[in-house]
Amino acid sequence: MDKLDDMASVYEFDPFTGNIPATKVEITVSLCVLYTQGIETKQWREFGRTEVIDNTLNPDFVRKFILDYFFEEKQNLRFDFRLEKPLGRGDNLSLKNSTGKPGIPGKKCGTIILSAEELGNCRDSATMQFCANKLDKKDFFGKSDPFMVFYRSNEDGTFTICHKTEVVKNTLNPVWQSFTIPVRALCNGDYDRTIKVEVYDWDRDGSHDFIGEFTTSYRELARGQSQFNVYEVVNPKKKMKKKKYVNSGTVSHTHMHTHACTHTHICCISYICNPSQSTSLHYMNPYQMNAYAMALKAVGEIIQDYDSDKMFPALGFGAKLPPDGRVSHEFPLNGNIENPYCNGIEGILEAYHQSLKTVQLYGPTNFAPVVNHVARYAAAVQDGSQYFVLLIITDGVISDMSQTKEAIVNGAKLPMSIIIVGVGQAEFDAMVELDGDDIRISSRGKLAERDIVQFVPFRDYMDRTGNHVLSMARLAKDVLAEIPDQFISYMKSRGIKPNPAPPPYTPPGHTHHTQI
């Protein structure tokens, strides 16, 4: 059984590692070692290795390579295929050796099959367990040694291996160990995508006997143990040959648990400048986004991928509301007090544009009400299942500094982070104090338990050539840089640990890295 921690990169929280935006793709290779080439140095460096599979000339590896794909760059890859044990004179067989020449001159060493698919943004993982009943007997002496192989369906109709269970020896009614796997590995976040499962009888020489197969989907598996999750294991060849053939046994799904820390993001926008004036930062230019919209889109398009349903509460503050002109510091952008949620970043932008037509921008710039608003929700969920990120976009000097400091100190012990983006040319010295990178923020003699605020002035990231895409990419990278550490610091302070991967399975008589 493969170590699932080797697949952990499928769902790492790492949109901040590249200087420019990149798309993650998963490469499935029937080989052992992947090398990447540096753009400037042209040197080859080992990127990763697959597991070793015994006794086969047609290996199908479970372990995948997760790469950042840059559309605008040429990225050279080299794949080496090696035998674990030396051949007759101690030579290793490889399709390409370290010099790039064929491993055995004049001989075709085989064919490498590559497939690549852009990875979805699902960060969930699932723990599941299966058992089988009355599987076919395949061994002459004894019963069968069954194991299961899971395949994810691809966009072109092919299948890619994504998991193998351990072997259960000498039984027709195996109960396999539970295992944890990223949902993205099973279905790339598409709950209705077909998952194919094949059942085999393990043989030491690698010629495993096919028992049968069945198909399901993650949506079906998520139902857990039920009559709908009992599958007939069918051998198509037997079914065609034998009229009375029913099945080669059944497989039951006995346990299912999904692990996900839901990130809830709340967006807050200050309303203190007249949007009808062309000098206003809220001014709606028909040809380009204003500074508020650019900041919201730059940060929001990344953090929305860590929200399970992409429904965001969006609030405004510092405006007079109709019909009585009451000043509010936490009003819903969509005007719906009962349901302030917007569908994705585009939904927030639409609500923001509509609100500029109905509210009167006024002031002052008070942060404490919205910080306390989010803190009330975060205080209700402190078990690690949810983490809240408050995004504040403002162009004014803060008016309630002491109250905001107290709210942040209280919020530092809760599962929440605060991102503040300053737009315009105002003096933001007070925001730097809230950030707490150099000096931890305090209020009434009480020190914040941890740093939860990240402040950046958008003007520092504006590209001089007017390239707004580049400006937004720079802003997003820096403004989100501290979120992973803040998230981890909360989990560690509360003793909340990620679910451990199950131990690797080692078949008897094999070395620690041998796979079935």
Side-chain angles (χ1 to χ4, degrees):
M1 183 172 164
D2 303 311
K3 293 183 179 179
L4 290 174
D5 54 357
D6 290 321
M7 299 175 64
S9 55
V10 173
Y11 55 96
E12 287 175 351
F13 187 96
D14 59 354
F16 324 109
T17 55
N19 291 324
I20 53 178
T23 295
K24 286 206 178 298
V25 295
E26 176 187 87
I27 295 183
T28 303
V29 293
S30 292
L31 49 90
C32 191
V33 186
L34 168 62
Y35 292 88
T36 57
Q37 188 179 45
I39 296 176
E40 297 180 359
T41 64
K42 301 300 180 182
Q43 292 181 343
W44 291 102
R45 294 184 178 181
E46 182 176 329
F47 183 84
R49 298 183 176 219
T50 67
E51 74 275 18
V52 175
I53 298 181
D54 278 354
N55 298 317
T56 180
L57 299 178
N58 302 292
D60 197 359
F61 295 99
V62 173
R63 196 166 303 156
K64 307 295 189 293
F65 299 124
I66 309 299
L67 298 172
D68 286 325
Y69 168 69
F70 299 94
F71 176 79
E72 67 279 9
E73 293 182 9
K74 180 181 179 181
Q75 296 169 258
N76 293 323
L77 306 176
R78 193 183 88 206
F79 303 96
D80 284 6
F81 206 161
R82 302 176 181 177
L83 289 182
E84 182 195 15
K85 297 180 180 180
L87 297 175
R89 297 183 180 180
D91 296 326
N92 275 355
L93 171 65
S94 65
L95 292 176
K96 293 285 185 180
N97 59 27
S98 58
T99 64
K101 296 179 181 179
I104 300 180
K107 290 194 66 176
K108 179 179 178 181
C109 300
T111 302
I112 298 174
I113 301 173
L114 306 180
S115 65
E117 181 177 1
E118 182 177 353
L119 290 176
N121 294 307
C122 178
R123 260 54 179 187
D124 296 353
S125 61
T127 297
M128 53 187 71
Q129 186 174 25
F130 294 84
C131 67
N133 185 46
K134 296 182 179 179
L135 295 178
D136 284 355
K137 180 179 179 298
K138 290 292 185 178
D139 292 341
F140 185 77
F141 298 104
K143 298 179 181 178
S144 290
D145 305 318
F147 68 94
M148 293 197 298
V149 184
F150 290 74
Y151 297 87
R152 179 186 73 225
S153 60
N154 301 317
E155 295 173 340
D156 61 357
T158 61
F159 287 88
T160 297
I161 187 172
C162 59
H163 182 72
K164 289 179 183 177
T165 69
E166 77 280 9
V167 176
V168 181
K169 290 296 191 71
N170 197 31
T171 180
L172 303 181
N173 304 295
V175 178
W176 288 283
Q177 297 175 7
S178 63
F179 61 91
T180 301
I181 186 171
V183 174
R184 191 158 65 177
L186 274 175
C187 62
N188 205 11
D190 180 357
Y191 288 7
D192 296 309
R193 185 182 290 202
T194 299
I195 299 171
K196 182 173 73 171
V197 183
E198 295 179 342
V199 184
Y200 289 89
D201 168 46
W202 179 81
D203 288 330
R204 187 176 297 276
D205 62 3
S207 60
H208 311 307
D209 300 316
F210 179 69
I211 295 177
E213 64 185 19
F214 63 90
T215 60
T216 182
S217 68
Y218 183 76
R219 190 177 301 280
E220 291 179 356
L221 293 175
R223 296 174 180 174
Q225 185 176 6
S226 71
Q227 59 180 342
F228 302 104
N229 274 328
V230 177
Y231 303 96
E232 291 191 14
V233 179
V234 176
N235 187 322
K237 291 184 178 180
K238 280 190 173 183
K239 188 174 182 180
M240 291 181 63
K241 292 180 179 179
K242 300 181 179 180
K243 292 183 179 180
K244 295 184 178 181
Y245 175 81
V246 178
N247 58 52
S248 295
T250 60
V251 168
S252 301
H253 186 206
T254 61
H255 173 73
M256 177 73 175
H257 180 64
T258 301
H259 314 273
C261 175
T262 301
H263 289 71
T264 302
H265 304 99
I266 299 94
C267 298
C268 296
I269 300 175
S270 70
Y271 286 66
I272 60 174
C273 298
N274 189 342
S276 62
Q277 298 175 355
S278 60
T279 56
S280 169
L281 293 166
H282 286 289
Y283 179 66
M284 301 306 298
N285 188 322
Y287 302 106
Q288 68 180 41
M289 292 184 292
N290 63 29
Y292 275 89
M294 281 196 290
L296 179 60
K297 190 176 180 66
V299 180
E301 284 192 340
I302 291 180
I303 62 176
Q304 73 173 349
D305 290 334
Y306 297 90
D307 191 291
S308 56
D309 60 6
K310 294 180 173 55
M311 296 297 293
F312 304 101
L315 307 175
F317 58 95
K320 289 184 176 181
L321 307 184
D324 57 0
R326 174 179 56 87
V327 177
S328 174
H329 294 288
E330 49 177 317
F331 63 90
L333 293 191
N334 63 6
N336 189 340
I337 298 177
E338 300 297 327
N339 183 16
Y341 289 85
C342 300
N343 187 5
I345 295 305
E346 294 303 322
I348 296 177
L349 288 170
E350 182 181 354
Y352 163 62
H353 294 155
Q354 290 299 319
S355 70
L356 293 176
K357 302 175 183 178
T358 59
V359 305
Q360 180 184 349
L361 282 69
Y362 189 72
T365 305
N366 291 348
F367 284 3
V370 293
V371 174
N372 289 327
H373 178 96
V374 176
R376 287 194 294 271
Y377 287 94
V381 189
Q382 300 187 52
D383 59 356
S385 62
Q386 292 192 50
Y387 194 84
F388 296 80
V389 179
L390 169 61
L391 170 62
I392 299 176
I393 306 175
T394 182
D395 60 2
V397 178
I398 187 169
S399 306
D400 62 340
M401 187 64 175
S402 60
Q403 294 91 332
T404 298
K405 289 171 67 175
E406 183 176 3
I408 291 173
V409 169
N410 292 334
K413 62 179 180 289
L414 300 174
M416 62 181 288
S417 290
I418 302 171
I419 299 170
I420 304 174
V421 179
V423 296
Q425 301 303 316
E427 293 296 330
F428 294 118
D429 293 346
M431 304 297 186
V432 177
E433 181 181 352
L434 297 180
D435 195 315
D437 282 342
D438 299 322
I439 301 176
R440 186 70 59 84
I441 189 174
S442 63
S443 174
R444 299 184 181 184
K446 183 180 179 181
L447 199 66
E449 185 176 305
R450 59 194 181 94
D451 177 23
I452 64 170
V453 179
Q454 169 76 336
F455 166 74
V456 294
F458 196 7
R459 63 188 176 220
D460 292 354
Y461 298 86
M462 296 299 290
D463 183 67
R464 294 180 180 179
T465 65
N467 186 331
H468 295 313
V469 174
L470 186 57
S471 299
M472 293 163 63
R474 289 171 175 170
L475 173 70
K477 181 178 183 294
D478 276 10
V479 81
L480 294 170
E482 295 185 8
I483 297 295
D485 287 339
Q486 292 173 0
F487 171 78
I488 292 172
S489 72
Y490 173 79
M491 297 300 174
K492 285 185 175 180
S493 70
R494 297 298 180 269
I496 301 171
K497 298 180 180 180
N499 294 294
Y505 172 78
T506 304
H510 289 60
T511 57
H512 72 281
H513 56 266
T514 303
Q515 309 295 321
I516 57 174

